Amino acid sequence: MSERWVYFFGNGEADGSRHDKDLLGGKGANLAEMVRVGVPVPPGFTITTDASRHYMAERSFPPGLEEQSRAALTRIEEGTARTFGGGDDPLLLSVRSGAAVSMPGMMDTILNLGLNDATVEALARGADDARFAWDSYRRFVQMYGNVVLGVPNAAFEELLRERRDARGVEDDTGLTADDLRALVPEYKEMIAERTGVTFPEEPEEQLWGAVRAVFDSWDNDRAVAYRRHEGIPDDFGTAVTVMAMVYGNMGETSGTGVAFTRDPSTGEKRFFGEFLLNAQGEDVVSGIRTPVSISQMADLLPDAYADLLDIQERLERHYRDMQDLEFTVERGRLYLLQTRSGKRAAAAALRIAAEMVDEGLIDTTEAVLRIDPEDLERQLHSALDPNADPTVLATGLPASPGAASGRVVFDPDEAVRRSEAGEAVIMVRAETSPDDFAGMAAARAIVTARGGMTSHAAVVARGMGKPCVVGARDLEIAREGRSFKAAGHTVAAGDWVTIDGASGRLLLGRVPTVEPELTEHFHRVMGWADDARRLGVRANADTPEDARQARAFGAEGIGLCRTEHMFHGDDRVRAVREMILADDGESRRRALERILPMQREDFEGIFQAMDGYPVTIRLLDPPLHEFLPHDGEEMDELAWATGRRVEEIRAAVERHRESNPMLGHRGVRLAISVPEIAEMQAQAIFEAAVAAAADGVDVQPEIMVPLVATVEELRVQDRLIRDVATRVFEEAGREVPYMVGTMIELPRAALTADRIAEVAEFFSFGTNDLTQTTFGISRDDAASFLPRYIEQGILQDDPFQVLDREGVGQLVTLGTRKGRSTRSDLKVGICGEHGGEPSSVEFCHHAGLDYVSCSPFRVPVARLAAARAALEEAGNAEEAEEDGVDPGTPAEPSLESVA
């Protein structure tokens, strides 16, 4: 017996359920589930993701697929009393993609399949509506011609526009049946001219051409770009759902819409969505026509609206989550075409989770697990400064909150190019399509002249957390697409604009922004997260302002204070340069004495901001050449300021230049060869700690020595630091507790961590440099080849963004284990960029680290990711216990054999 490729739903029965998303895709699984709970759904069948994977591997349909599909099609015919490809009332089909993970608009759909020159006449007679039949046929030829045969949509739209202009109407609904009847052969003729292929008349041929096209669309450019952006594996494949057509374009008792059971921008519990009378689904999502609010459906189709209100309430309670619905009303009868968990803005996600806990739909554990840590950062985006007085160019619909400024671009490819060059860009379009995704991902924000709150632009922007304004009708975009006019202004490509996604306004120029306020829902959900997590979360902060911001976001200390960042600024860098140029230790100390009070003041401010929390301060790490001038003008200025000849300055610069400074004279190596620098920094730290403690601050300094490779290096520095501490404490008549530890950022340090822990009281894995030294890759030079590695699947992720578990992760695990074998109470954390990346935080939880440290704005992300890791681990342990499996297996392989 051949493998099963097809699952039927409809006529009151369904082969699958919502638990079959991996097999049937999200769309197919949820259609089956709706049938099971009694929601009206047109009958259909789903071709599995297994069939898609077979097709991708073999470039052919699997054996048995066509026969199983034919049997399912017969059941659709029986349930609808219609015949596919014939009869007085022919059965038409929709063919839609449906991956296991929602990818809205990224793959292809075909509606009204089964129409030809004969069935269109039967459809017109059966519906007693010739215009409806020819409108459906026109739409089908356009969709099939574009999706299956590859003719650009713009070519069809141009013919359609010419027909509207000739008729003198603005909207497609103004075209008559005769207009549409004349348009169909024009479409077919244009297809033949462009492709050399005759449009297929046989419905079976149409069906398999459409299925093949949907399978192929898994690898179209926009789908691939979306998967890269969202981290979706390429081998998932897509299911194909084939369903009996229902028609929203059958006159004034029909229509179509998209709705959410709660407001996806704010999370408010109100039915939200849009509706179009006498239309098909693509009219709403494409933005071709601007729909009306879903509430107006109550006046237009009251009975269907009442049914929809009841169903949306039932579905939300059934799924226990906010739902995104697609529906059609055919001559007064409501049909649901899709339900899925709705994409929502970050603030909305927090509100929905908190209020669903209050409503008893979910518990606090599920509320925490519902929030995507990456989405959380979007809650922290800027808003317009309320004191600003901007010039409003246009107002549209507030599709996705947030404020952003950038240079106007009209072309998605240009958006990508300019963004990669480091420019902030705002993409302005009449409307967007899935082909624009790469440009939308590159842009800071998106503006469209047409479309509604559920248009493609709105849905994609909300999913990416980008500010978006849609339906800005006052924008007049020039035909050549290089400028637009609005409110008496002409704005060209490259000019600055600002958008306010919260109010739906497009503003002239660059408008100031302010930081957002955190809502009560944010604090409630984060409180539940903090209750659940084991892993501590600190921040990387180099100034008192950064420290205060980090604490406001919930940081439990500072995991990395980079002292070299305090050396920048005219007065400071001049003193540092004098120190570098000093001819002897005494001259060097005099220069350092000028820096000492500056560093002491900085440290004291940080200690005050972090009252009661630990502060890890890294001693000077970069090589000295980074502080020296590199152009003639700066060298001249330094020579004048120090009374030296320019030739001396140039010679000093050359003397400090290194071939490979990342592996050169820096970190602990610099501290050993120029000990006066470490002495000054230790003195500044301890004097600041004593002064802050005298003011009643609970000071907890942790002094971190960077780039240690051997225990003897650390032993030298530990002795120096403790000698300085003793002297400062004796002079002040006061002591403060402190710790000395090291940054583990070299493979040798991880492999000999048991020896290093003889001296170190804590480890902090510097995963930025540890990644560089493990891979042998310079992060600054990797951009020339790393993207290609990821595209070709050589690496799944950029290892500087997502922690490499297989290599770097093993060093972290091994270093932690070996360090604690010497010092059982060894405190261990990480302080690289990975400390705020969710999957890397999850790894740190499983590896047994005590904390992660990240940039202040990533602190809430890390807090939530740590909580999710703990909750998912607890849930897995419970499942394993129920199944009689030992849950205590290690998460990562060890390097014991290497050690």
Side-chain angles (χ1 to χ4, degrees), residues 310-495:
D310 174 65
I311 287 171
Q312 64 92 19
E313 176 80 20
R314 287 165 52 200
L315 287 174
E316 181 175 276
R317 297 197 71 81
H318 181 72
Y319 283 94
R320 298 182 304 113
D321 195 9
M322 186 261 277
Q323 294 297 289
D324 171 0
L325 313 173
E326 293 182 19
F327 65 92
T328 287
V329 180
E330 178 183 291
R331 290 182 169 172
R333 184 175 179 184
L334 175 69
Y335 294 91
L336 268 289
L337 307 181
Q338 176 168 283
T339 190
R340 61 187 173 194
S341 291
K343 292 192 177 294
R344 64 209 74 180
L350 290 162
R351 179 173 179 175
I352 290 168
E355 292 186 352
M356 283 190 169
V357 169
D358 295 338
E359 295 163 22
L361 288 177
I362 61 176
D363 59 20
T364 58
T365 293
E366 192 162 359
V368 171
L369 293 173
R370 285 272 177 93
I371 308 298
D372 185 338
E374 285 288 3
D375 289 343
L376 197 61
E377 189 181 20
R378 299 166 188 166
Q379 166 75 359
L380 314 175
H381 284 321
S382 300
L384 289 184
D385 185 338
N387 297 317
D389 185 22
T391 299
V392 179
L393 294 172
T395 300
L397 300 173
S400 185
S405 298
R407 297 185 183 275
V408 170
V409 297
F410 296 91
D411 177 73
D413 293 333
E414 183 182 357
V416 172
R417 287 195 302 272
R418 297 184 77 153
S419 176
E420 288 176 346
E423 293 187 56
V425 298
I426 305 289
M427 195 162 81
V428 178
R429 304 281 279 166
E431 71 255 348
T432 65
S433 73
D435 291 329
D436 297 328
F437 179 79
M440 297 172 75
R444 296 280 302 279
I446 300 112
V447 181
T448 68
R450 295 195 289 269
M453 295 286 280
T454 52
S455 64
H456 176 266
V459 171
V460 172
R462 275 197 299 270
M464 292 193 293
K466 293 181 185 289
C468 180
V469 173
V470 299
R473 293 169 174 267
D474 294 335
L475 289 188
E476 297 179 25
I477 300 177
R479 276 189 178 269
E480 75 278 5
R482 299 296 298 168
S483 66
F484 68 80
K485 292 182 179 179
H489 297 270
T490 298
V491 179
D495 290 347

Side-chain angles (χ1 to χ4, degrees), residues 745 766-777 799-800 802-804 808 834:
E745 45 196 330
T767 51
N768 297 341
D769 275 356
L770 188 58
T771 298
Q772 292 195 92
T773 54
T774 301
F775 274 92
I777 293 175
F800 295 106
V802 178
L803 187 73
D804 163 47
V808 177
H834 302 101

Side-chain angles (χ1 to χ4, degrees), residues 197 240 322 662:
V197 174
V240 179
M322 186 261 277
M662 196 272 287

Side-chain angles (χ1 to χ4, degrees), residues 3 5 49-63:
E3 186 173 344
W5 309 107
T49 56
D50 288 342
S52 170
R53 285 187 284 271
H54 181 284
Y55 176 85
M56 287 189 290
E58 305 295 334
R59 308 312 300 173
S60 63
F61 294 133

